[in-house]
């Protein structure tokens, strides 16, 4: 039985003031609108992004929502050898550089990024955007870490759900095993889960993890 919560309907056109993304962004306009809609739905004040890159998305989100109190961007050191070789070119020379001017932004760079972190290194978050390591190992690690770090009724949101089968398949296995719901937003690469700690299997996932 899947007992996590879902939103009945996510209208993507409610964001008249959504910032327009340009060619330098690593997400599409639909993806950005979907993320903003989810943030607005829960009035997320504390946000974490796994794989912040140069901070394009982070900056646009911070510029959209004045009520965000803290935005933590996480990335790897520039000489990191990613598990997926195609990700080597994505590693930023200056992680989070565009978002640093906003005093609500905090950067965490570790040699192996999220692999070097546990939930104890981060505040309890309202919303976590998972867009870092795209290997099977990375998706499993980041999913468990995100679910352990987000607050009850908070949202974990994954990028590349539609275009990367490894993301889809890994989330399918994890969500079936631990009974959390994966919701997709049509025409976007975004999937999300609303966290529900009353789910015992889900609690076991968190307790048994070393995150
Ligand atoms: C597709 S880019 C992210 C784009 C960014 N989220 C945005 O919207 O602008 C993937 C990022 O994940 C980072 N990354 C790869 N492995 C990581 C890890 N283990 N921990 C944290 N970040 C990682 C890469 O360095 C890169 O910056």
């Amino acid at each position: 039985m899947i007992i996590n919560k879902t939103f009945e309907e996510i209208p993507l056109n409610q964001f008249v003031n959504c910032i327009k993304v340009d060619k330098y962004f690593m997400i599409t306009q639909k993806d950005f609108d979907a993320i903003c809609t989810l943030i607005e739905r829960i009035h997320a004040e504390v946000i974490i992004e796994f794989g912040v890159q140069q901070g394009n998305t982070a900056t646009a989100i911070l510029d959209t929502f004045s009520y965000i109190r803290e935005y933590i961007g996480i990335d790897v050191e520039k000489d990191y050898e990613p598990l997926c070789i195609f990700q080597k070119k994505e590693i930023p020379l200056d992680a989070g550089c565009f978002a640093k001017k906003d005093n609500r932004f905090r950067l965490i760079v570790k040699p192996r990024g999220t692999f070097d972190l546990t939930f104890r290194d981060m505040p309890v978050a309202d919303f976590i955007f998972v867009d870092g390591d795209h290997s099977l190992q990375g998706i499993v690690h980041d999913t468990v870490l995100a679910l352990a770090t987000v607050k009850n009724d908070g949202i974990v949101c994954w990028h590349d759900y539609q275009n990367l089968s490894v993301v889809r398949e890994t989330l399918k296995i994890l969500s079936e095993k631990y009974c959390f719901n994966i919701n997709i937003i049509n025409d976007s690469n975004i999937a999300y889960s609303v966290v529900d700690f009353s789910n015992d299997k889900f609690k076991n996932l968190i307790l048994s993890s070393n995150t």
Side-chain angles (χ1 to χ4, degrees):
M1 183 180 55
I2 305 275
I3 58 176
N4 269 33
K5 298 165 197 166
T6 180
F7 297 128
E8 297 270 301
E9 173 185 310
I10 301 288
L12 282 179
N13 56 358
Q14 67 184 38
F15 258 89
V16 285
N17 292 324
C18 236
I19 284 172
K20 295 282 167 271
V21 306
D22 60 30
K23 61 180 178 180
Y24 300 109
F25 276 65
M26 300 196 77
I27 62 174
T28 65
Q29 186 72 52
K30 283 265 185 191
D31 296 346
F32 184 68
D33 292 352
I35 292 169
C36 287
T37 306
L38 293 171
I39 289 172
E40 172 67 2
R41 203 50 92 85
I42 59 165
H43 202 84
E45 295 184 10
V46 178
I47 296 180
I48 303 177
E49 182 177 348
F50 293 176
V52 71
Q53 230 250 357
Q54 296 189 96
N56 268 320
T57 301
T59 307
I61 290 173
L62 281 162
D63 288 349
T64 304
F65 299 104
S66 58
Y67 57 71
I68 292 175
R69 285 188 287 114
E70 187 173 21
Y71 194 113
I72 296 177
I74 298 169
D75 219 290
V76 295
E77 283 179 357
K78 51 179 181 292
D79 56 356
Y80 178 64
E81 292 298 332
L83 297 173
C84 288
I85 208 69
F86 73 86
Q87 284 205 275
K88 181 77 182 160
K89 61 180 184 317
E90 294 176 349
I91 295 175
L93 290 175
D94 186 6
C97 53
F98 298 132
K100 284 176 184 165
K101 62 182 185 305
D102 193 308
N103 61 17
R104 297 169 295 167
F105 181 76
R106 180 153 70 92
L107 179 68
I108 300 180
V109 170
K110 295 281 180 189
R112 296 163 63 242
T114 51
F115 285 120
D116 292 331
L117 295 171
T118 76
F119 71 90
R120 293 179 193 85
D121 299 307
M122 295 173 276
V124 176
D126 299 310
F127 184 92
I128 298 185
F129 178 36
V130 178
D131 192 20
D133 190 309
H134 292 325
S135 67
L136 173 65
Q137 202 185 335
I139 297 160
V140 171
H141 174 84
D142 284 358
T143 297
V144 175
L145 179 61
L147 293 171
T149 307
V150 80
K151 70 170 194 184
N152 195 31
D153 281 338
I155 289 180
V156 175
C157 149
W158 295 264
H159 193 223
D160 295 311
Y161 184 83
Q162 305 285 23
N163 58 327
L164 289 182
S165 58
V166 64
V167 177
R168 253 185 344 267
E169 282 155 21
T170 310
L171 287 179
K172 183 170 187 295
I173 293 166
L174 285 175
S175 61
E176 283 173 1
K177 186 162 181 197
Y178 296 106
C179 291
F180 60 92
N181 207 348
I182 297 290
N183 308 286
I184 55 171
I185 298 183
N186 287 342
D187 302 326
S188 80
N189 272 316
I190 298 295
Y192 71 95
S193 185
V194 185
V195 170
D196 179 0
F197 290 144
S198 63
N199 169 348
D200 281 341
K201 278 202 179 173
F202 176 72
K203 234 182 279 174
N204 287 340
L205 162 74
I206 303 305
L207 291 175
S208 65
S209 74
N210 200 20
T211 56

